[in-house]
Amino acid sequence: MDDLGRIRFEKDNEEERESMNHSGEIIAGVLAPHPPHLVYAENPPQNEPRSEGGWDTLRWAYENCRERILALKPDVLLVHSPHWMTVVGHHVLGLKKFKGLSVDPIFPHLFRYQYDVDVDVDLSLQIHEEVKEMGLNSKVVTNPHFRIDYGAITSLHLMNPAWDIPIVSLSSNNSPYYFSNEVGQEQMIKLGEATRKAVQKSGKKAVLLASNSLSHRHFTSEPEIPEDMSYEHIYHHGQYLWDMEMIKLMKQGKSRQLIDVLPEFMDMTVAEVKAGALTWMISAMGFPDYPAKVHGYGTVIGTGNAVVEWSRV
Ligand code: 2X7
Ligand code: FE2
C-alpha cells in the first residue's frame, strides 16, 4: 500500500471506530502498566516531584494508545490494580467521588499525586451484584477517606490525563498468593465474566485497563537521577525472552494460550500479572482471538512493560 492508500485506510478505520454503536459492551481492553516513573516523567501538575523526563518509548506508546482509545468515546474506564490487594474477596469503589493524595510507598520521591476521581457507582454496584451471583465474595468501599492506590491512578492518568471519564476500580484479591497461581486465575476468570455481564446490563461503552507490568525482577537501587536513562535496561535476558513470548501470543491473537502459559511466566519472572489484572481483562473480553496491537515495550528499573490494546477495529 502506498502512503496515500495507507492514510485513506487509516482514516476509514478511524471513522469506523468512532461510528460503531456499541452499548453495553467492552469496546477495548488495554494492558496498561503503572510504573509511577511514567507519571513522574510527564510532570503533570497533580504530581509533586519534578523530573527531566525519561522512559520516553513507553510514554509514546501510551500517547498512541490513548489517542485511539479516547476516539472511541468510552463512557467508563475500569481498572484492576495489583496495588490494591484485598484478602477477603473483590472490592469496588462505592462513592461518587474520591479525593486525596496517592503515594507510592517504594518511590515516594517520584509519586505523590493529588487525585480527584469520579466513580461510576451504578456500574460498581452492578459488578458487586454479579460477582456475588458468581459465588465470589464482594465488598463495596464507602469510606470517603479511602486512599486510591498508585497503580490504578497511574494507569488511569496515562490513559486519560484529563480525568473527564468516570471510573470503576477493582481490587485484586490475593488468592494467587494465599493459594496458587491456578486458583488465582480461576477467580480472575470468574471476576471477568461478572464484569462483562455487568457492563452488558449497564448499556455503557466500557474500556478495561489491566494495570500490570510483565516481568517483574527489578533493581534494588536507583541512580542519583532516577530518570538517567543510561542506567535503564532489562534486569536480565531471560526476562526479556519471556516477555517477548507473551507479546508474541498477544500479537497472534492467542489469548487462551496466553492465559494457559501465564502461571509458568509468573514463576519464571515474578510477573506482576500474578495479581490477576490481565486474566480478568482477557476473560471479560471473552478471550479475544484477534491480534492485539502492541504500542510499545520498555523497561522501568529493570521490569518489563508493554502497552497493548485489544479492540476489534
Ligand atoms: O509498581 C511498579 C511496577 N509495577 C513496576 C516498576 C516500577 C515500580 O512500580
Ligand atoms: Fe506494580
Side-chain angles (χ1 to χ4, degrees), residues 236-282:
H236 67 55
H237 185 53
Q239 287 217 150
Y240 164 79
L241 291 177
W242 265 107
D243 284 343
M244 289 306 124
E245 242 351 87
M246 299 304 102
I247 288 173
K248 188 168 81 188
L249 292 173
M250 295 174 194
K251 287 179 77 161
Q252 290 173 339
K254 295 184 175 167
S255 64
R256 283 197 187 273
Q257 288 93 324
L258 175 70
I259 298 302
D260 285 349
V261 73
L262 280 189
E264 193 183 352
F265 174 61
M266 293 165 193
D267 288 343
M268 293 298 157
T269 68
V270 209
E272 200 176 36
V273 292
K274 181 172 179 124
L278 181 60
T279 308
W280 159 76
M281 184 176 80
I282 293 287

Side-chain angles (χ1 to χ4, degrees), residues 33-37 82-83 104 106-107 110 150-151 154 211-218 272 299-305:
H34 58 247
H37 305 61
H83 298 293
D104 181 331
I106 316 278
F107 299 99
L110 304 184
Y150 76 89
T154 296
S211 181
N212 275 166
S213 296
L214 291 173
S215 64
H216 211 259
R217 288 186 202 280
H218 53 78
E272 200 176 36
T299 67
V300 178
I301 201 157
T303 62
N305 299 272

